[in-house]
């Protein structure tokens, strides 16, 4: 995994909190459908994978937002990329702060190592 991207999708023309959540939920559902590892936070969603996959997902977030009815949106991204190595995982960065969360439970492969 040589890339991670923090994506903040903001529907600028949403007129209610519910409309904002609907558009953001559509984008998160798309991210979920891609099969990449991701973590939803209160302000952004972090994805992890190879560079090309992450860039394709980032591009498609805008298209999914448009399909969800947004006519004006902003998408902010923080991109962590190492062409010749791995980037630090979300689990490594914040897993210790979520000890009861099964998302961050030790994986079988980790336990065997």
């Amino acid at each position: 995994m040589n890339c991670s991207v923090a994506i903040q999708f903001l529907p600028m023309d949403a007129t209610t909190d519910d409309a904002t959540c609907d558009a953001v939920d559509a984008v998160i559902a798309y991210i979920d459908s891609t099969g990449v590892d991701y973590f939803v936070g209160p302000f952004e969603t972090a994805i992890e994978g190879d560079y090309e996959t992450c860039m394709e997902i980032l591009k498609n977030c805008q298209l999914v937002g448009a399909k969800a009815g947004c006519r004006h949106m902003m998408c902010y991204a923080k991109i962590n990329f190492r062409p010749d190595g791995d980037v630090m995982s979300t689990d490594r960065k914040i897993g210790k702060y979520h000890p009861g969360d099964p998302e961050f439970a030790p994986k079988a492969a980790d336990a065997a190592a």
Side-chain angles (χ1 to χ4, degrees):
M1 170 191 68
N2 68 353
C3 187
S4 60
V5 182
I7 302 168
Q8 183 182 37
F9 178 84
L10 301 171
M12 302 303 290
D13 56 354
T15 57
T16 66
D17 288 347
D18 286 342
T20 297
C21 288
D22 289 346
V24 172
D25 288 347
V27 171
I28 294 171
Y30 160 69
I31 291 170
D32 181 62
S33 76
T34 67
V36 298
D37 284 337
Y38 69 97
F39 179 81
V40 177
F43 295 102
E44 63 193 14
T45 298
I47 63 172
E48 301 175 334
D50 68 85
Y51 180 78
E52 295 300 327
T53 299
C54 289
M55 294 301 102
E56 185 71 14
I57 291 169
L58 178 60
K59 176 187 82 171
N60 286 332
C61 285
Q62 284 80 210
L63 302 175
V64 168
K67 190 178 273 190
C70 294
R71 293 185 340 249
H72 181 200
M73 66 207 84
M74 300 290 286
C75 190
Y76 298 95
K78 293 181 274 188
I79 301 167
N80 182 12
F81 174 52
R82 282 191 173 167
D84 298 321
D86 290 337
V87 297
M88 195 182 316
S89 71
T90 299
D91 183 30
R92 172 86 190 277
K93 293 175 190 173
I94 66 170
K96 63 187 169 200
Y97 300 110
H98 299 272
D101 189 335
E103 176 70 22
F104 298 107
K107 312 292 188 273
D110 295 338

